[in-house]
Every structure is written in C-alpha cells, then in structure tokens.
C-alpha cells in the first residue's frame, strides 16, 4: 500500500489531545505527554484584535520548520488548508501571522455568497465552517449605532440616559468612555454604541461627545423648512 | 552518531515530582525569577475554581466563592529556543531548534540537571516520580514521479495494509510503547504525517520519542544524570533502527 499526496479537499483534523495546559482548559489524557511541546498549541477560540472566533471543538495548531536550516517555519492548524499559514522565525511570530491570515480569509469569505466563490475559496470556507461556529460569530456581531441622548439621572454619577426617541436606559460606567463619568444631569451628548444584536442592550460605547443641545426643536425645524427656497419665490416666466 | 542534517527539531528533559504539600507559589516564582537573565518572557496559566450555591428553587445558583490557582509557568528566552515549564509537579527544560545547530544531549541534560538541583533546593519536593527525555524529529521524504511512496522503504515502524481494497494511505498516525531489551525504562514512539513540506516537494513525517527513567524516592541528581545518559543512548539505538538505509542517507551521516 502506498502513501500518497492527499486530494486538495482533504484536510485532516486529528483530535486535539495536547495543550499548553490551563491556557485552553484542555488537559492531556493520552499516553504520550506532549503538554510541554512548545511547537503545539490547542485552541478553543481564535482571537484577532477585538474579534473572537469560537471553535466547534478544540483545534490543534503546530509550528513546523522550513526545509532548510535557515531557521523559522510555518504555523498550521490541522483541519485547515495550507493557504491559511503563518510564517515566522519563532513559533509565536508564526502563530500571530497565522491568526492574521485566518482573520483576513474568514472576513473575505464571510461576506461572499456561495456562487461568488471560486472552487479553492469554497474548499477553504467549507473547512472554516467545519471548524468555526459561524452562526455564533454572526450572532455576536454588535449593531453599531449613533445615538443622541441626555443624562437624565446622575447621582452621584451618571446612571440613566434619555435617548432622542424618548426611551430611557440604565447605563453602566464600565461600558462607557471615562469622560462620561463627569457628565451631569441634563447634559446632551452623542455616542457611537455597540448594541447586542438580539437584546439590543449596550455592550460598549466606543465614542462619546458633549453637544450643545439634544435635538432640534419643532419651531426650529419649521423655521429651517420654511427658509428653504421654493419655486414660489421665482419670478413668473414662460418657455417662450 | 554524527549527522550533517539531523532531523531533530525539539528536545526536552522532564521531571515529575511528588510535590511539597506545603508548596506555595512564592518559591516557584522565586525559582523562575532566578533564571530571569536566561528566560526573559514569562507566561502564567491560572485555573479558577468557582463555588455555586442554590439559594432559592426559583432562582439560578449564585457564585459564592472563587479560588485561583496557578497551574503553569512557562518561560522562554527572546529567541524562543530555550523554554522552562513549571507546574505544581513538573519541571521541564526544552530546546527548540530554530536554524541553529543542535547543542547535543550532554549540554542540554547538564543544563536540566543544574535546574533540577536548584528546584529541589528552593521548592523542596517530597520525591521524584520519573525523569524523561523527549525528542521530536521531522523527516522530509522527497516526492518523486508518482506522488506516492512506500512507507516501508523509509520506516521500519509501520502498518502496511493491502492495496486491495484499501487503496492508498492519505494520513498516518501510529503510537506504540516498548520495553527495550537493554533494561532501560519504557519508550513511547509516535510516527505521524504532517502537511506536505513548504513548496509541496516532500512528504513530512514527525517522530516523537518519549523515554522514561522511573523513580519513586529521594532525588539524587548524579544518579538521575547518569540514568538520563543511559536513556539517551537507548533512544539513539532505537532511532537508528526505526529508519531504513534510504532514510538514513537523507540525514547525510558522517563516517
């Protein structure tokens, strides 16, 4: 029986049995302890900046050297095809680069419809979907909204705001930029808010700015409307 | 055993202890700090244990207690070639080959035993359970012509299924434990394929060797050092025996 080059759609994912212990909560239970192997890493999530990808089950990544003795190598993850590869002189460098490669590939393919994908893209996306809980990722993406509101309760620090549409909401300083803690009752502000896609609760507030007044008043909006020039102000004329 | 292209990429020496029942984190931290000039990066893994209590049948249980324990220190040098692991019952010294030459077993073993002495002095474990050496080899077998090879042409360790009805093998992982005839401790061997080597020009195989020196008593660094040497020599004999002549030539042996 021969050992052969696998077809392009074959991506072996062996069970992740070794780990750098407590980092990932996966404990080695086999007979051959590789817990202390610094070239291997078991991942239950992939974190790139503020983006987290939750895996359906722990995946095993490994650093493998280049074929020559120039040093350095590649970081690969079992179950994912070679286009997603991190290179670096040290395992950590290669792992960081791998995460960027994965993140870029995921984001590129995530927004594509199946008919838009080339065969190679489809193979990669199938492997990613097998590994990553894509539905959870979709559900975790916050709604980013710009809102205008006013602090309506601030004793001893801002506790609640009233938004432009009249709704009131409890706010927590931990989720607000530091400056918000100095706002007094009645202070209007605008904010860029990350809200949970299902509950619409505030997850975090990325940006906040004091404004002079909360919203335009009815009389002001009428004045503005009336100040717009109309055809009534034009002189009488005809085409001839 | 002199090779121009030795397949070794990683090696570690591992000690398993019966830990000091009064063992605290501070001595372990002091031990790590003592090698601050050698290992500049330190990572710490914690394990949190939460205690829940149900106060009311209509409400979810509440967290009433939390204890945090450090489960793993991992330190490394800037280059990432030397590593030190410390868990409540393990001390492990790794070498990772990143282009430079393999410094040799004697050098790495001596370094590990020196750390063992210092560990015993500072952390005072009750006794040692085992010492072990672990080697990781990566073997690249060039792909020629038909995009397939016969594993038996390269490894004496293997499983060869009949082509009919199985066809070709696409992946491979075999793990075995053996009791060598030379009277030394158990040897565990694992052979597996990895992704094709960069460029797709070679099949890549990874071999893990884990050799035990079992103990159950007080810690005698001189004896442990001698036993590690015997264990290394035993692994080297098995190392030669697992490869065929064809594979051996890939390592360019010196006469």
């Amino acid at each position: 029986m021969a050992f052969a080059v696998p077809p392009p759609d074959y991506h072996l994912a062996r069970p992740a049995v070794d780990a750098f212990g407590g980092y990932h909560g996966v404990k080695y239970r086999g007979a051959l302890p590789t817990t202390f192997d610094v070239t291997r890493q078991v991942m239950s999530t992939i974190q790139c900046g503020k983006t987290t990808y939750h895996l359906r089950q722990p995946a095993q990544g490994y650093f493998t050297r280049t074929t020559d003795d120039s040093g350095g190598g590649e970081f690969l993850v079992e179950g994912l095809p070679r286009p997603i590869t991190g290179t670096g002189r040290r395992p950590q460098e290669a792992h960081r680069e791998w995460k960027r490669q994965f993140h870029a590939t995921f984001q590129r393919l995530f927004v594509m419809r199946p008919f838009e994908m080339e065969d190679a893209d489809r193979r990669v996306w199938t492997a990613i979907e097998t590994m990553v809980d894509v539905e959870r990722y979709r559900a975790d993406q916050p709604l980013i909204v710009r809102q205008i509101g006013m602090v309506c309760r601030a004793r001893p620090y801002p506790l609640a705001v009233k938004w432009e549409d009249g709704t009131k909401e409890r706010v927590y300083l931990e989720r607000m930029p530091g400056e918000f803690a100095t706002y007094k009752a009645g202070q209007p502000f605008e904010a860029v808010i990350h809200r949970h896609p299902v509950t619409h609760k505030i997850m975090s507030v990325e940006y906040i700015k004091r404004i002079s007044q909360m919203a335009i008043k009815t009389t002001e909006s009428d004045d503005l409307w009336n100040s717009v020039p109309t055809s009534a102000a034009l002189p009488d004329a005809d085409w001839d | 055993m002199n090779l121009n292209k030795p397949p070794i990429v990683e090696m570690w020496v591992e000690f398993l202890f019966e830990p000091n029942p009064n063992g605290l984190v501070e001595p372990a931290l002091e031990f790590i700090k003592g090698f601050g000039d050698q290992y500049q990066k330190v990572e710490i893994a914690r394990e949190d244990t939460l205690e829940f209590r149900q106060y009311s049948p209509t409400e979810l249980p509440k967290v009433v207690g939390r204890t945090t324990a450090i489960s793993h220190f991992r330190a490394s040098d800037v280059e990432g070639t030397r590593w030190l692991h410390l868990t409540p019952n393990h001390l492990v010294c790794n070498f990772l080959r990143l282009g430079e030459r393999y410094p040799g077993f004697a050098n790495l073993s001596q370094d590990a035993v020196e750390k063992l002495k210092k560990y015993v002095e500072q952390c005072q474990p009750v006794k040692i359970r085992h010492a072990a050496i672990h080697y990781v080899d990566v073997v690249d077998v060039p792909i020629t012509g038909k995009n397939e090879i016969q594993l038996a042409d390269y490894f004496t360790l293997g499983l060869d299924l009949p082509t009919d009805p199985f066809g070709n093998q696409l992946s491979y992982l075999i793990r075995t434990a053996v009791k060598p005839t030379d009277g030394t401790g158990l040897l565990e061997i694992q052979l597996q394929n990895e992704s094709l080597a960069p460029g797709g020009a070679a099949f890549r195989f990874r071999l893990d060797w884990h050799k035990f020196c079992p103990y159950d008593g007080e810690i005698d660094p001189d004896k442990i050092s001698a036993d590690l040497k015997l264990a290394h020599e035993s692994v080297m004999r098995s190392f030669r025996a697992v490869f065929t002549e064809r594979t051996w030539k890939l390592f360019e042996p010196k006469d």
Side-chain angles (χ1 to χ4, degrees), chain A residues 1-4 14 20 23 31 36-37 64-65 82 90, chain B residues 10 43 72 79 94 149-150 161 169 172 188 193 196 204 206:
Chain A
M1 160 178 248
F3 187 82
R14 294 191 180 106
F20 173 38
Y23 270 109
F36 303 109
D37 185 351
T64 186
R65 67 179 178 85
R82 186 171 273 281
R90 291 181 278 270
Chain B
E10 191 181 6
E43 299 164 274
H72 202 139
E79 281 298 303
N94 294 56
I149 57 167
Q150 296 293 330
L161 296 168
Q169 280 176 306
Y172 196 78
E188 292 177 345
N193 74 301
L196 298 180
R204 177 162 279 191
R206 173 181 162 130

PDB file of all heavy atoms in Angstrom, chain A residues 1-4 14 20 23 31 36-37 64-65 82 90, chain B residues 10 43 72 79 94 149-150 161 169 172 188 193 196 204 206:
ATOM      1  N   MET A   1       0.850  -1.194   0.000  1.00  0.00           N
ATOM      2  CA  MET A   1       0.000   0.000   0.000  1.00  0.00           C
ATOM      3  C   MET A   1       0.888   1.246   0.000  1.00  0.00           C
ATOM      4  O   MET A   1       1.852   1.315   0.764  1.00  0.00           O
ATOM      5  CB  MET A   1      -0.885  -0.040   1.240  1.00  0.00           C
ATOM      6  CG  MET A   1      -1.464   1.266   1.648  1.00  0.00           C
ATOM      7  SD  MET A   1      -2.526   1.082   3.076  1.00  0.00           S
ATOM      8  CE  MET A   1      -4.087   1.426   2.367  1.00  0.00           C
ATOM      9  N   ALA A   2       0.540   2.224  -0.843  1.00  0.00           N
ATOM     10  CA  ALA A   2       1.379   3.417  -0.952  1.00  0.00           C
ATOM     11  C   ALA A   2       0.827   4.543  -0.087  1.00  0.00           C
ATOM     12  O   ALA A   2      -0.367   4.588   0.214  1.00  0.00           O
ATOM     13  CB  ALA A   2       1.449   3.864  -2.406  1.00  0.00           C
ATOM     14  N   PHE A   3       1.720   5.433   0.291  1.00  0.00           N
ATOM     15  CA  PHE A   3       1.324   6.662   0.982  1.00  0.00           C
ATOM     16  C   PHE A   3       1.334   7.762  -0.067  1.00  0.00           C
ATOM     17  O   PHE A   3       2.340   7.978  -0.746  1.00  0.00           O
ATOM     18  CB  PHE A   3       2.327   6.977   2.099  1.00  0.00           C
ATOM     19  CG  PHE A   3       1.897   8.130   2.945  1.00  0.00           C
ATOM     20  CD1 PHE A   3       0.984   7.959   3.965  1.00  0.00           C
ATOM     21  CD2 PHE A   3       2.392   9.403   2.704  1.00  0.00           C
ATOM     22  CE1 PHE A   3       0.578   9.020   4.747  1.00  0.00           C
ATOM     23  CE2 PHE A   3       1.992  10.464   3.474  1.00  0.00           C
ATOM     24  CZ  PHE A   3       1.084  10.274   4.499  1.00  0.00           C
ATOM     25  N   ALA A   4       0.191   8.439  -0.243  1.00  0.00           N
ATOM     26  CA  ALA A   4       0.050   9.320  -1.406  1.00  0.00           C
ATOM     27  C   ALA A   4      -0.284  10.747  -1.004  1.00  0.00           C
ATOM     28  O   ALA A   4      -0.763  10.996   0.105  1.00  0.00           O
ATOM     29  CB  ALA A   4      -1.050   8.777  -2.316  1.00  0.00           C
ATOM     30  N   ARG A  14      -7.039  15.939  13.285  1.00  0.00           N
ATOM     31  CA  ARG A  14      -6.938  14.932  14.341  1.00  0.00           C
ATOM     32  C   ARG A  14      -7.447  15.536  15.642  1.00  0.00           C
ATOM     33  O   ARG A  14      -7.399  16.744  15.822  1.00  0.00           O
ATOM     34  CB  ARG A  14      -5.483  14.499  14.518  1.00  0.00           C
ATOM     35  CG  ARG A  14      -4.936  13.763  13.305  1.00  0.00           C
ATOM     36  CD  ARG A  14      -3.596  13.128  13.628  1.00  0.00           C
ATOM     37  NE  ARG A  14      -3.081  12.421  12.484  1.00  0.00           N
ATOM     38  CZ  ARG A  14      -2.077  12.841  11.719  1.00  0.00           C
ATOM     39  NH1 ARG A  14      -1.490  13.982  12.001  1.00  0.00           N
ATOM     40  NH2 ARG A  14      -1.678  12.138  10.699  1.00  0.00           N
ATOM     41  N   PHE A  20      -0.925  23.387  25.927  1.00  0.00           N
ATOM     42  CA  PHE A  20      -0.206  24.065  26.984  1.00  0.00           C
ATOM     43  C   PHE A  20      -1.233  24.285  28.081  1.00  0.00           C
ATOM     44  O   PHE A  20      -1.749  25.365  28.300  1.00  0.00           O
ATOM     45  CB  PHE A  20       0.398  25.356  26.450  1.00  0.00           C
ATOM     46  CG  PHE A  20       1.010  26.198  27.541  1.00  0.00           C
ATOM     47  CD1 PHE A  20       1.684  25.597  28.592  1.00  0.00           C
ATOM     48  CD2 PHE A  20       0.914  27.559  27.516  1.00  0.00           C
ATOM     49  CE1 PHE A  20       2.251  26.363  29.591  1.00  0.00           C
ATOM     50  CE2 PHE A  20       1.477  28.332  28.497  1.00  0.00           C
ATOM     51  CZ  PHE A  20       2.135  27.729  29.543  1.00  0.00           C
ATOM     52  N   TYR A  23      -4.079  27.141  29.665  1.00  0.00           N
ATOM     53  CA  TYR A  23      -4.458  28.230  28.768  1.00  0.00           C
ATOM     54  C   TYR A  23      -5.755  27.947  28.042  1.00  0.00           C
ATOM     55  O   TYR A  23      -6.508  28.826  27.747  1.00  0.00           O
ATOM     56  CB  TYR A  23      -3.365  28.458  27.710  1.00  0.00           C
ATOM     57  CG  TYR A  23      -2.341  29.428  28.148  1.00  0.00           C
ATOM     58  CD1 TYR A  23      -1.061  29.002  28.452  1.00  0.00           C
ATOM     59  CD2 TYR A  23      -2.641  30.774  28.272  1.00  0.00           C
ATOM     60  CE1 TYR A  23      -0.110  29.898  28.863  1.00  0.00           C
ATOM     61  CE2 TYR A  23      -1.693  31.677  28.679  1.00  0.00           C
ATOM     62  CZ  TYR A  23      -0.422  31.237  28.975  1.00  0.00           C
ATOM     63  OH  TYR A  23       0.519  32.118  29.380  1.00  0.00           O
ATOM     64  N   ALA A  31      -1.339   8.729  26.384  1.00  0.00           N
ATOM     65  CA  ALA A  31      -0.186   8.053  26.972  1.00  0.00           C
ATOM     66  C   ALA A  31       1.110   8.777  26.648  1.00  0.00           C
ATOM     67  O   ALA A  31       2.122   8.554  27.291  1.00  0.00           O
ATOM     68  CB  ALA A  31      -0.119   6.627  26.466  1.00  0.00           C
ATOM     69  N   PHE A  36       4.093  19.664  27.127  1.00  0.00           N
ATOM     70  CA  PHE A  36       5.212  20.599  27.223  1.00  0.00           C
ATOM     71  C   PHE A  36       5.853  20.885  25.867  1.00  0.00           C
ATOM     72  O   PHE A  36       6.920  21.471  25.798  1.00  0.00           O
ATOM     73  CB  PHE A  36       6.244  20.055  28.210  1.00  0.00           C
ATOM     74  CG  PHE A  36       5.654  19.809  29.565  1.00  0.00           C
ATOM     75  CD1 PHE A  36       5.459  18.526  30.045  1.00  0.00           C
ATOM     76  CD2 PHE A  36       5.241  20.869  30.354  1.00  0.00           C
ATOM     77  CE1 PHE A  36       4.883  18.304  31.283  1.00  0.00           C
ATOM     78  CE2 PHE A  36       4.659  20.659  31.588  1.00  0.00           C
ATOM     79  CZ  PHE A  36       4.482  19.376  32.064  1.00  0.00           C
ATOM     80  N   ASP A  37       5.185  20.437  24.808  1.00  0.00           N
ATOM     81  CA  ASP A  37       5.712  20.665  23.472  1.00  0.00           C
ATOM     82  C   ASP A  37       5.433  22.119  23.077  1.00  0.00           C
ATOM     83  O   ASP A  37       4.271  22.512  22.938  1.00  0.00           O
ATOM     84  CB  ASP A  37       5.032  19.708  22.502  1.00  0.00           C
ATOM     85  CG  ASP A  37       5.608  19.800  21.113  1.00  0.00           C
ATOM     86  OD1 ASP A  37       6.417  20.712  20.867  1.00  0.00           O
ATOM     87  OD2 ASP A  37       5.249  18.967  20.277  1.00  0.00           O
ATOM     88  N   THR A  64       5.964  24.149  12.326  1.00  0.00           N
ATOM     89  CA  THR A  64       6.862  23.199  11.663  1.00  0.00           C
ATOM     90  C   THR A  64       7.935  23.972  10.923  1.00  0.00           C
ATOM     91  O   THR A  64       7.650  25.011  10.324  1.00  0.00           O
ATOM     92  CB  THR A  64       6.060  22.263  10.738  1.00  0.00           C
ATOM     93  OG1 THR A  64       6.914  21.271  10.218  1.00  0.00           O
ATOM     94  CG2 THR A  64       5.378  23.009   9.598  1.00  0.00           C
ATOM     95  N   ARG A  65       9.158  23.473  11.010  1.00  0.00           N
ATOM     96  CA  ARG A  65      10.283  24.243  10.490  1.00  0.00           C
ATOM     97  C   ARG A  65      10.309  24.226   8.962  1.00  0.00           C
ATOM     98  O   ARG A  65       9.676  23.386   8.331  1.00  0.00           O
ATOM     99  CB  ARG A  65      11.605  23.686  11.030  1.00  0.00           C
ATOM    100  CG  ARG A  65      11.917  22.308  10.508  1.00  0.00           C
ATOM    101  CD  ARG A  65      13.230  21.807  11.041  1.00  0.00           C
ATOM    102  NE  ARG A  65      13.499  20.468  10.572  1.00  0.00           N
ATOM    103  CZ  ARG A  65      14.062  20.185   9.402  1.00  0.00           C
ATOM    104  NH1 ARG A  65      14.405  21.149   8.596  1.00  0.00           N
ATOM    105  NH2 ARG A  65      14.270  18.936   9.055  1.00  0.00           N
ATOM    106  N   ARG A  82      -3.639  24.659   3.527  1.00  0.00           N
ATOM    107  CA  ARG A  82      -2.381  25.395   3.580  1.00  0.00           C
ATOM    108  C   ARG A  82      -2.470  26.886   3.241  1.00  0.00           C
ATOM    109  O   ARG A  82      -1.670  27.664   3.775  1.00  0.00           O
ATOM    110  CB  ARG A  82      -1.349  24.725   2.659  1.00  0.00           C
ATOM    111  CG  ARG A  82       0.028  25.318   2.757  1.00  0.00           C
ATOM    112  CD  ARG A  82       1.041  24.518   2.010  1.00  0.00           C
ATOM    113  NE  ARG A  82       1.596  23.455   2.819  1.00  0.00           N
ATOM    114  CZ  ARG A  82       2.534  23.639   3.741  1.00  0.00           C
ATOM    115  NH1 ARG A  82       2.986  24.826   3.990  1.00  0.00           N
ATOM    116  NH2 ARG A  82       3.009  22.620   4.413  1.00  0.00           N
ATOM    117  N   ARG A  90      10.002  32.486  14.900  1.00  0.00           N
ATOM    118  CA  ARG A  90       9.683  31.806  16.159  1.00  0.00           C
ATOM    119  C   ARG A  90       8.230  31.320  16.123  1.00  0.00           C
ATOM    120  O   ARG A  90       7.411  31.880  15.392  1.00  0.00           O
ATOM    121  CB  ARG A  90       9.861  32.779  17.324  1.00  0.00           C
ATOM    122  CG  ARG A  90      11.301  33.150  17.577  1.00  0.00           C
ATOM    123  CD  ARG A  90      11.418  34.086  18.762  1.00  0.00           C
ATOM    124  NE  ARG A  90      11.161  35.459  18.399  1.00  0.00           N
ATOM    125  CZ  ARG A  90      12.093  36.303  17.990  1.00  0.00           C
ATOM    126  NH1 ARG A  90      13.342  35.909  17.886  1.00  0.00           N
ATOM    127  NH2 ARG A  90      11.787  37.534  17.677  1.00  0.00           N
TER     128      ARG A  90
ATOM    129  N   GLU B  10      13.173  19.426  18.254  1.00  0.00           N
ATOM    130  CA  GLU B  10      12.882  19.801  19.629  1.00  0.00           C
ATOM    131  C   GLU B  10      13.319  18.690  20.565  1.00  0.00           C
ATOM    132  O   GLU B  10      13.301  17.508  20.196  1.00  0.00           O
ATOM    133  CB  GLU B  10      11.373  20.061  19.803  1.00  0.00           C
ATOM    134  CG  GLU B  10      11.025  20.702  21.135  1.00  0.00           C
ATOM    135  CD  GLU B  10       9.524  20.951  21.323  1.00  0.00           C
ATOM    136  OE1 GLU B  10       8.740  20.528  20.475  1.00  0.00           O
ATOM    137  OE2 GLU B  10       9.163  21.554  22.344  1.00  0.00           O
ATOM    138  N   GLU B  43       5.108  33.413  30.999  1.00  0.00           N
ATOM    139  CA  GLU B  43       3.652  33.327  30.862  1.00  0.00           C
ATOM    140  C   GLU B  43       3.111  32.547  32.050  1.00  0.00           C
ATOM    141  O   GLU B  43       3.779  31.626  32.536  1.00  0.00           O
ATOM    142  CB  GLU B  43       3.264  32.595  29.584  1.00  0.00           C
ATOM    143  CG  GLU B  43       3.747  33.271  28.316  1.00  0.00           C
ATOM    144  CD  GLU B  43       3.688  32.333  27.131  1.00  0.00           C
ATOM    145  OE1 GLU B  43       4.654  31.596  26.928  1.00  0.00           O
ATOM    146  OE2 GLU B  43       2.683  32.334  26.430  1.00  0.00           O
ATOM    147  N   HIS B  72       0.478  26.694  35.735  1.00  0.00           N
ATOM    148  CA  HIS B  72       1.577  26.505  34.791  1.00  0.00           C
ATOM    149  C   HIS B  72       2.361  27.810  34.626  1.00  0.00           C
ATOM    150  O   HIS B  72       1.764  28.840  34.308  1.00  0.00           O
ATOM    151  CB  HIS B  72       0.974  26.096  33.439  1.00  0.00           C
ATOM    152  CG  HIS B  72       1.916  25.389  32.527  1.00  0.00           C
ATOM    153  ND1 HIS B  72       1.527  24.299  31.781  1.00  0.00           N
ATOM    154  CD2 HIS B  72       3.201  25.600  32.213  1.00  0.00           C
ATOM    155  CE1 HIS B  72       2.550  23.883  31.051  1.00  0.00           C
ATOM    156  NE2 HIS B  72       3.574  24.673  31.288  1.00  0.00           N
ATOM    157  N   GLU B  79      14.855  34.496  21.851  1.00  0.00           N
ATOM    158  CA  GLU B  79      14.893  33.806  20.568  1.00  0.00           C
ATOM    159  C   GLU B  79      13.830  32.715  20.450  1.00  0.00           C
ATOM    160  O   GLU B  79      13.481  32.278  19.369  1.00  0.00           O
ATOM    161  CB  GLU B  79      16.279  33.187  20.359  1.00  0.00           C
ATOM    162  CG  GLU B  79      17.324  34.188  19.899  1.00  0.00           C
ATOM    163  CD  GLU B  79      16.967  34.798  18.561  1.00  0.00           C
ATOM    164  OE1 GLU B  79      16.794  34.041  17.601  1.00  0.00           O
ATOM    165  OE2 GLU B  79      16.832  36.039  18.490  1.00  0.00           O
ATOM    166  N   ASN B  94      13.098  22.770  27.814  1.00  0.00           N
ATOM    167  CA  ASN B  94      13.009  22.485  26.369  1.00  0.00           C
ATOM    168  C   ASN B  94      14.113  23.185  25.587  1.00  0.00           C
ATOM    169  O   ASN B  94      14.541  24.288  25.943  1.00  0.00           O
ATOM    170  CB  ASN B  94      11.702  23.030  25.784  1.00  0.00           C
ATOM    171  CG  ASN B  94      10.478  22.353  26.290  1.00  0.00           C
ATOM    172  OD1 ASN B  94      10.259  22.311  27.494  1.00  0.00           O
ATOM    173  ND2 ASN B  94       9.665  21.836  25.396  1.00  0.00           N
ATOM    174  N   ILE B 149       4.714   7.179  -2.071  1.00  0.00           N
ATOM    175  CA  ILE B 149       5.887   6.416  -1.620  1.00  0.00           C
ATOM    176  C   ILE B 149       5.403   5.178  -0.871  1.00  0.00           C
ATOM    177  O   ILE B 149       4.240   5.095  -0.477  1.00  0.00           O
ATOM    178  CB  ILE B 149       6.777   7.252  -0.663  1.00  0.00           C
ATOM    179  CG1 ILE B 149       5.955   7.743   0.536  1.00  0.00           C
ATOM    180  CG2 ILE B 149       7.462   8.386  -1.375  1.00  0.00           C
ATOM    181  CD1 ILE B 149       6.773   8.302   1.668  1.00  0.00           C
ATOM    182  N   GLN B 150       6.308   4.238  -0.685  1.00  0.00           N
ATOM    183  CA  GLN B 150       6.022   3.089   0.170  1.00  0.00           C
ATOM    184  C   GLN B 150       6.648   3.403   1.530  1.00  0.00           C
ATOM    185  O   GLN B 150       7.860   3.605   1.618  1.00  0.00           O
ATOM    186  CB  GLN B 150       6.647   1.810  -0.414  1.00  0.00           C
ATOM    187  CG  GLN B 150       6.080   1.387  -1.760  1.00  0.00           C
ATOM    188  CD  GLN B 150       4.629   0.953  -1.678  1.00  0.00           C
ATOM    189  OE1 GLN B 150       4.185   0.442  -0.646  1.00  0.00           O
ATOM    190  NE2 GLN B 150       3.877   1.191  -2.743  1.00  0.00           N
ATOM    191  N   LEU B 161      -1.241  -1.860   5.020  1.00  0.00           N
ATOM    192  CA  LEU B 161      -2.494  -2.524   4.650  1.00  0.00           C
ATOM    193  C   LEU B 161      -2.425  -2.938   3.182  1.00  0.00           C
ATOM    194  O   LEU B 161      -1.721  -2.306   2.385  1.00  0.00           O
ATOM    195  CB  LEU B 161      -3.667  -1.563   4.855  1.00  0.00           C
ATOM    196  CG  LEU B 161      -3.936  -1.122   6.291  1.00  0.00           C
ATOM    197  CD1 LEU B 161      -4.919   0.046   6.295  1.00  0.00           C
ATOM    198  CD2 LEU B 161      -4.476  -2.268   7.118  1.00  0.00           C
ATOM    199  N   GLN B 169      -2.852   5.263   1.334  1.00  0.00           N
ATOM    200  CA  GLN B 169      -2.964   5.970   2.615  1.00  0.00           C
ATOM    201  C   GLN B 169      -2.793   7.463   2.377  1.00  0.00           C
ATOM    202  O   GLN B 169      -1.895   7.875   1.645  1.00  0.00           O
ATOM    203  CB  GLN B 169      -1.861   5.497   3.565  1.00  0.00           C
ATOM    204  CG  GLN B 169      -2.162   4.181   4.241  1.00  0.00           C
ATOM    205  CD  GLN B 169      -0.999   3.734   5.091  1.00  0.00           C
ATOM    206  OE1 GLN B 169       0.115   3.642   4.603  1.00  0.00           O
ATOM    207  NE2 GLN B 169      -1.264   3.451   6.338  1.00  0.00           N
ATOM    208  N   TYR B 172      -1.487   9.357   8.416  1.00  0.00           N
ATOM    209  CA  TYR B 172      -0.838   8.283   9.145  1.00  0.00           C
ATOM    210  C   TYR B 172      -0.548   8.724  10.561  1.00  0.00           C
ATOM    211  O   TYR B 172      -0.020   9.807  10.790  1.00  0.00           O
ATOM    212  CB  TYR B 172       0.473   7.971   8.416  1.00  0.00           C
ATOM    213  CG  TYR B 172       1.093   6.665   8.792  1.00  0.00           C
ATOM    214  CD1 TYR B 172       0.603   5.487   8.272  1.00  0.00           C
ATOM    215  CD2 TYR B 172       2.165   6.613   9.667  1.00  0.00           C
ATOM    216  CE1 TYR B 172       1.170   4.276   8.616  1.00  0.00           C
ATOM    217  CE2 TYR B 172       2.740   5.409  10.009  1.00  0.00           C
ATOM    218  CZ  TYR B 172       2.228   4.244   9.481  1.00  0.00           C
ATOM    219  OH  TYR B 172       2.792   3.056   9.824  1.00  0.00           O
ATOM    220  N   GLU B 188       8.148   5.402  24.492  1.00  0.00           N
ATOM    221  CA  GLU B 188       6.942   5.594  23.680  1.00  0.00           C
ATOM    222  C   GLU B 188       7.353   6.274  22.376  1.00  0.00           C
ATOM    223  O   GLU B 188       8.125   7.242  22.389  1.00  0.00           O
ATOM    224  CB  GLU B 188       5.920   6.444  24.430  1.00  0.00           C
ATOM    225  CG  GLU B 188       5.367   5.703  25.636  1.00  0.00           C
ATOM    226  CD  GLU B 188       4.397   6.532  26.454  1.00  0.00           C
ATOM    227  OE1 GLU B 188       4.361   7.760  26.276  1.00  0.00           O
ATOM    228  OE2 GLU B 188       3.707   5.936  27.279  1.00  0.00           O
ATOM    229  N   ASN B 193       2.151  11.695   9.930  1.00  0.00           N
ATOM    230  CA  ASN B 193       2.460  12.622   8.842  1.00  0.00           C
ATOM    231  C   ASN B 193       1.944  13.997   9.209  1.00  0.00           C
ATOM    232  O   ASN B 193       1.013  14.142  10.011  1.00  0.00           O
ATOM    233  CB  ASN B 193       1.834  12.153   7.531  1.00  0.00           C
ATOM    234  CG  ASN B 193       0.333  12.369   7.512  1.00  0.00           C
ATOM    235  OD1 ASN B 193      -0.370  11.839   8.352  1.00  0.00           O
ATOM    236  ND2 ASN B 193      -0.143  13.165   6.569  1.00  0.00           N
ATOM    237  N   LEU B 196       2.248  18.563   3.770  1.00  0.00           N
ATOM    238  CA  LEU B 196       3.429  18.498   2.918  1.00  0.00           C
ATOM    239  C   LEU B 196       4.390  19.617   3.302  1.00  0.00           C
ATOM    240  O   LEU B 196       3.980  20.680   3.765  1.00  0.00           O
ATOM    241  CB  LEU B 196       3.038  18.654   1.453  1.00  0.00           C
ATOM    242  CG  LEU B 196       2.105  17.588   0.866  1.00  0.00           C
ATOM    243  CD1 LEU B 196       1.817  17.887  -0.583  1.00  0.00           C
ATOM    244  CD2 LEU B 196       2.707  16.203   1.011  1.00  0.00           C
ATOM    245  N   ARG B 204       6.099  15.067   4.786  1.00  0.00           N
ATOM    246  CA  ARG B 204       6.732  15.414   6.059  1.00  0.00           C
ATOM    247  C   ARG B 204       6.192  14.494   7.151  1.00  0.00           C
ATOM    248  O   ARG B 204       4.978  14.358   7.315  1.00  0.00           O
ATOM    249  CB  ARG B 204       6.462  16.882   6.397  1.00  0.00           C
ATOM    250  CG  ARG B 204       7.007  17.309   7.721  1.00  0.00           C
ATOM    251  CD  ARG B 204       7.113  18.812   7.804  1.00  0.00           C
ATOM    252  NE  ARG B 204       8.321  19.284   7.137  1.00  0.00           N
ATOM    253  CZ  ARG B 204       8.776  20.530   7.227  1.00  0.00           C
ATOM    254  NH1 ARG B 204       8.115  21.429   7.919  1.00  0.00           N
ATOM    255  NH2 ARG B 204       9.885  20.868   6.612  1.00  0.00           N
ATOM    256  N   ARG B 206       6.556  13.328  11.320  1.00  0.00           N
ATOM    257  CA  ARG B 206       7.027  13.745  12.638  1.00  0.00           C
ATOM    258  C   ARG B 206       7.133  12.500  13.519  1.00  0.00           C
ATOM    259  O   ARG B 206       6.221  11.676  13.577  1.00  0.00           O
ATOM    260  CB  ARG B 206       6.030  14.728  13.253  1.00  0.00           C
ATOM    261  CG  ARG B 206       6.359  15.070  14.695  1.00  0.00           C
ATOM    262  CD  ARG B 206       5.326  16.021  15.277  1.00  0.00           C
ATOM    263  NE  ARG B 206       5.413  15.984  16.731  1.00  0.00           N
ATOM    264  CZ  ARG B 206       5.509  17.042  17.522  1.00  0.00           C
ATOM    265  NH1 ARG B 206       5.508  18.243  17.016  1.00  0.00           N
ATOM    266  NH2 ARG B 206       5.588  16.902  18.822  1.00  0.00           N
TER     267      ARG B 206
END
